């Protein structure tokens, strides 16, 4: 399948780029997308949450009352979770949330999202561009020319480009990544995906 290449003014050029149907034209696998997104979000968690159980409470360990004869339940110390200021029962403790997803499943998930976005006409292929210096204003102009204002957009670069990355960083809806760093969550979150012309080959090489 072929897609017309646009310039940064938002106008069609005389060029067309061929998209590999095994990447941009497959039947989306929703379960693979679910597994990959779930793993990505889980792996972002720090897992540093913690609560104090009774052995961590800095309180007196003196027995509050005698064991028998009071008519009430026995009580060992003020650190008992049943008392105000006592430890927490089975509270959260630091642990790793890492989830492993096989590479084939990850590739299938990214192909599924790219195929869905292409069907929705949410993929725009643009001529390669660069900035001499980081300039958010220039990125805003490109966004307006491509008519993707007020929408989340993802720019896929052929390789790391500091000026383009810094120019999009201040935009709350914008994100720029290199072709080798795209993930299912970022693709799915974007309302529009802007792919630089030379990035198409890099994406296809990474997902074949």
């Amino acid at each position: 399948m072929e897609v017309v290449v646009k310039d940064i003014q938002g106008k069609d050029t005389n060029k067309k780029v061929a998209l590999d149907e095994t990447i941009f034209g497959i039947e989306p696998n929703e379960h693979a997308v679910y597994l990959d997104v779930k793993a990505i979000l889980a792996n972002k968690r720090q897992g540093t949450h913690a609560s104090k159980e009774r052995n961590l409470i800095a309180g007196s360990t003196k027995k509050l009352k005698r064991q028998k004869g009071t008519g009430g339940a026995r009580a060992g110390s003020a650190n008992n979770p049943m008392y105000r200021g006592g430890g927490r029962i089975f509270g959260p403790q630091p642990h790793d949330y890492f989830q492993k997803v096989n590479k084939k499943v990850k590739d299938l998930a990214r192909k599924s999202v790219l195929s869905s976005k292409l069907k929705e006409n949410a993929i725009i292929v643009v001529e390669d561009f660069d900035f001499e210096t980081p300039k958010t204003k220039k990125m805003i102009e490109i966004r307006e020319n491509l008519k993707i204002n007020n929408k989340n957009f993802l720019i896929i670069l052929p390789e790391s480009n500091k000026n383009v990355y810094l120019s999009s960083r201040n935009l709350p809806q914008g994100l720029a990544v290199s072709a080798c760093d795209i993930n299912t969550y970022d693709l799915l979150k974007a309302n529009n995906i802007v792919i630089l012309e030379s990035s198409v080959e890099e994406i296809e090489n990474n997902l074949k």
Side-chain angles (χ1 to χ4, degrees), residues 32-193:
V33 174
Y34 161 74
L35 291 175
D36 197 20
V37 170
K38 185 178 72 166
I40 290 170
L41 295 179
N43 296 341
K44 285 184 176 182
R45 299 186 66 173
Q46 290 183 325
T48 55
H49 44 40
S51 62
K52 290 186 177 182
E53 297 181 350
R54 67 181 300 168
N55 64 317
L56 299 174
I57 297 294
S60 173
T61 57
K62 179 182 178 181
K63 190 168 178 63
L64 298 180
K65 57 184 179 182
R66 59 196 178 109
Q67 183 83 344
K68 298 179 182 292
T70 62
R74 54 192 175 182
S77 73
N79 300 338
N80 190 321
M82 300 298 292
Y83 295 140
R84 183 183 181 89
R88 185 171 177 182
I89 303 173
F90 301 129
Q93 294 299 319
H95 69 278
D96 187 9
Y97 283 94
F98 177 77
Q99 295 182 15
K100 182 180 182 300
V101 178
N102 291 335
K103 184 179 184 301
K104 288 185 178 180
V105 177
K106 288 183 180 181
D107 289 347
L108 178 58
R110 285 179 286 182
K111 291 177 183 178
S112 296
V113 177
L114 287 171
S115 298
S116 296
K117 295 293 183 182
L118 186 61
K119 288 179 182 178
E120 297 167 3
N121 295 321
I123 290 182
I124 304 171
V125 180
V126 180
E127 284 183 326
D128 291 356
F129 65 87
D130 194 2
F131 301 144
E132 294 182 0
T133 58
K135 202 72 175 177
T136 303
K137 185 177 180 180
K138 292 182 180 179
M139 185 60 69
I140 292 175
E141 290 177 359
I142 293 176
R143 184 183 66 178
E144 291 175 349
N145 293 336
L146 296 175
K147 299 179 181 179
I148 53 175
N149 289 340
N150 302 320
K151 294 181 179 180
N152 288 326
F153 66 95
L154 176 68
I155 299 178
I156 301 180
L157 309 169
E159 56 187 13
S160 179
N161 187 315
K162 186 176 180 180
N163 290 338
V164 176
Y165 169 75
L166 293 176
S167 299
S168 63
R169 188 175 61 175
N170 287 336
L171 299 176
Q173 298 100 346
L175 178 64
V177 296
S178 58
C180 61
D181 293 329
I182 58 174
N183 64 60
T184 305
Y185 178 69
D186 290 337
L187 292 171
L188 195 63
K189 185 180 177 182
N191 298 115
N192 291 96
I193 300 174

Side-chain angles (χ1 to χ4, degrees), residues 1 20-27 111 114-115 118-119:
M1 61 187 73
D20 191 338
E21 291 193 6
T22 62
I23 295 174
F24 293 90
I26 70 168
E27 183 66 29
K111 291 177 183 178
L114 287 171
S115 298
L118 186 61
K119 288 179 182 178

